[in-house]
Amino acid sequence: MLLDVTPLRNRDFSLVFAGQLVSSFGSFLTYVALPVQLWDLTRSSTLVGLVGTVQLVPLAVTSLWGGAFADSLDRRKLLLWSEGLLMLGSLVLFFNARLAQPSVAALFVVAAFMSGVNGFHRPALESMKPRLVKPEELPAMAALSALGSTVAAIAGPALAGILVSVFGVSFTFGVDAGTYVFSLAALWLIRAMPPAEEAERAGLKTIVEGLVYAARRPELIGTYVVDIVAMTFAMPMAVFPALAAEWHGSNAAGYLYSAMSAGALLVTLFSRWTARVKRRGATVILAATVWGLAIVALGHAPSLAGAIACLVIAGGADMVSGLFRQMIWNDTIPSSLRGRMAGIEQLSYMSGPL
C-alpha cells in the first residue's frame, strides 16, 4: 500500500524530482503571499479572484504553444529558459513589495506574466519526465511527482503564512526567487532532451494536430471535462484571505491553502493500490463527486477546524482523480505528442481554478 520509490534510482529523474520539489516549495510561498498582499492593499475579494482571470488569459494562449514547443525543441533547454523567467517574475514581486506604496497593477502584470511562462514550463516538464523512467515505472513516477508537489503545497503555504506575518511579503517573494537557483542547477546537470527526429517545427499546424488527436480520444476528453467542471464550480481559494481575516489572520490563510494538499499527501503516501485498479475512468468520476460534496460542506463550515477538515477530504479526492488521470495519459499518449497533450491537460487543470 505504501509509495513505490523505484524511479528515484534514476539519476536524472532524481535530479528533476529534487529540483522541482524545491522550486515548487518557493512557488507556493508566492501563491499565498501575492493574494494576501493584494487583500491587504485593497480589502477586496473580487480583486483577489480577478487575479485568476488575469492569469487565465495568457495561460490559455501559451499552454498550447508551450506544448507544441515541448514536442519540437529540447525539453531541458525549454525548462531552463522557463525557470529563469519565473525567477525574474519573483524578483519583480520582491522589489515591488519593498516600495513605500506597492503597485497593485504590478501584482496583476507579474501574475499574468508568470502564468504565461508556466504555459511553457509545465508541458516541457510533464512531457520530459516519462522519458526519465522505464515504462513499468510510470505509475510510480506519477505518484512520486504528485508526492513532491503535495509536500510543497503543504509546507509552502504553511510557511508562507508564518513568513508573511513575521518578515513580510517582500522577504517571502525573495525566498521564492532563491529557490529557482537550486532547480536551475538540477536541470543543468541532467542530459539533453532533444525532440524526436521526425518532429515538426512548432506552429499552428502542430497545435491543430494535437487538438485533433485529443478530440478523437474520448478517454482523454472525458478526463479533461470532468476536471474542468469540478474545478470551475468548486474551487474556493479566492475567498481564503477573507475567511482567514475572519478567523486568525495570515496564519489561518496558510492553513487553508495547505489543507487540500494535506489530504492529497495522505492519498499519495498510500498510493500503491492505484496500480491494481482497472476502472480508471470510473474512479476519476467517483473522486470528482467526493470533491464536490466536500466543497459543499466547506460552505457550511462554522470554524477554521471544520473548514480544514472539509478541505482535507476535498484534497484527497482531487489527488485520487489526478493520479488516475495521469495514468490514463501516460499509458496512452505517444512521446511525440506528449508535450501538446500536456499543454491541453494544463488548460483543463488550471483553467477551472483560475
Side-chain angles (χ1 to χ4, degrees):
M1 294 292 288
L2 291 176
L3 185 69
D4 184 357
V5 297
T6 304
L8 290 177
R9 297 173 184 173
N10 182 290
R11 173 186 175 275
D12 283 356
F13 178 77
S14 296
L15 285 169
V16 171
F17 177 81
Q20 293 305 306
L21 175 62
V22 174
S23 176
S24 296
F25 187 93
S27 296
F28 276 106
L29 297 181
T30 294
Y31 178 71
V32 173
L34 193 153
V36 167
Q37 184 186 27
L38 184 58
W39 168 260
D40 288 341
L41 292 173
T42 66
R43 295 293 169 177
S44 171
S45 291
T46 300
L47 288 178
V48 173
L50 284 175
V51 170
T53 303
V54 170
Q55 291 172 312
L56 175 60
V57 174
L59 182 68
V61 176
T62 61
S63 60
L64 294 178
W65 280 99
F69 278 110
D71 285 336
S72 63
L73 300 176
D74 187 311
R75 291 165 181 172
R76 171 178 166 273
K77 289 182 179 179
L78 186 56
L79 274 174
L80 285 169
W81 276 101
S82 298
E83 298 235 339
L85 291 173
L86 290 172
M87 183 170 69
L88 176 63
S90 296
L91 288 172
V92 172
L93 291 175
F94 167 76
F95 287 112
N96 179 65
R98 293 183 63 84
L99 297 175
Q101 293 294 329
S103 170
V104 171
L107 297 181
F108 282 91
V109 171
V110 175
F113 170 76
M114 296 180 77
S115 180
V117 175
N118 274 318
F120 291 92
H121 181 277
R122 185 182 175 94
L125 177 64
E126 295 303 321
S127 60
M128 183 179 73
K129 287 190 294 186
R131 293 177 59 180
L132 302 177
V133 299
K134 300 176 182 178
E136 62 270 19
E137 294 174 348
L138 288 175
M141 181 273 294
L144 279 169
S145 298
L147 174 66
S149 60
T150 301
V151 169
I154 294 173
L159 180 59
I162 298 172
L163 293 179
V164 169
S165 61
V166 176
F167 299 103
V169 291
S170 63
F171 179 85
T172 308
F173 291 138
V175 174
D176 178 23
T179 62
Y180 285 109
V181 176
F182 186 88
S183 60
L184 285 167
L187 287 171
W188 187 265
L189 292 173
I190 70 171
R191 69 181 188 272
M193 285 285 158
E197 292 184 1
E198 67 277 10
E200 299 182 43
R201 184 176 180 178
L204 289 176
K205 178 176 179 290
T206 57
I207 292 175
V208 171
E209 287 175 353
L211 292 171
V212 170
Y213 176 84
R216 292 175 177 173
R217 296 285 303 279
E219 70 275 26
L220 296 182
I221 293 296
T223 61
Y224 300 149
V225 171
V226 167
D227 195 49
I228 289 173
V229 170
M231 297 295 102
T232 299
F233 293 99
M235 181 55 77
M237 292 180 295
V239 299
F240 284 176
L243 292 176
E246 288 189 11
W247 287 323
H248 302 287
S250 296
N251 284 337
Y255 297 140
L256 291 170
Y257 279 103
S258 297
M260 287 191 290
S261 298
L265 178 62
L266 291 173
V267 169
T268 306
L269 289 175
F270 296 92
S271 61
R272 191 182 289 267
W273 62 272
T274 59
R276 300 194 298 269
V277 175
K278 304 300 181 183
R279 296 291 304 279
R280 294 173 176 174
T283 307
V284 170
I285 294 173
L286 178 62
T289 302
V290 174
W291 157 271
L293 293 174
I295 298 301
V296 170
L298 170 67
H300 298 276
S303 65
L304 177 63
I308 289 174
C310 293
L311 289 169
V312 167
I313 295 171
D318 186 45
M319 178 54 66
V320 171
S321 173
L323 286 174
F324 282 96
R325 284 184 284 114
Q326 192 69 46
M327 290 179 194
I328 292 171
W329 299 330
N330 286 338
D331 286 348
T332 61
I333 298 173
S335 180
S336 60
L337 285 161
R338 201 176 292 276
R340 279 165 284 180
M341 294 305 101
I344 296 172
E345 178 268 329
Q346 183 180 33
L347 272 180
S348 73
Y349 180 76
M350 294 297 297
S351 61
L354 295 179

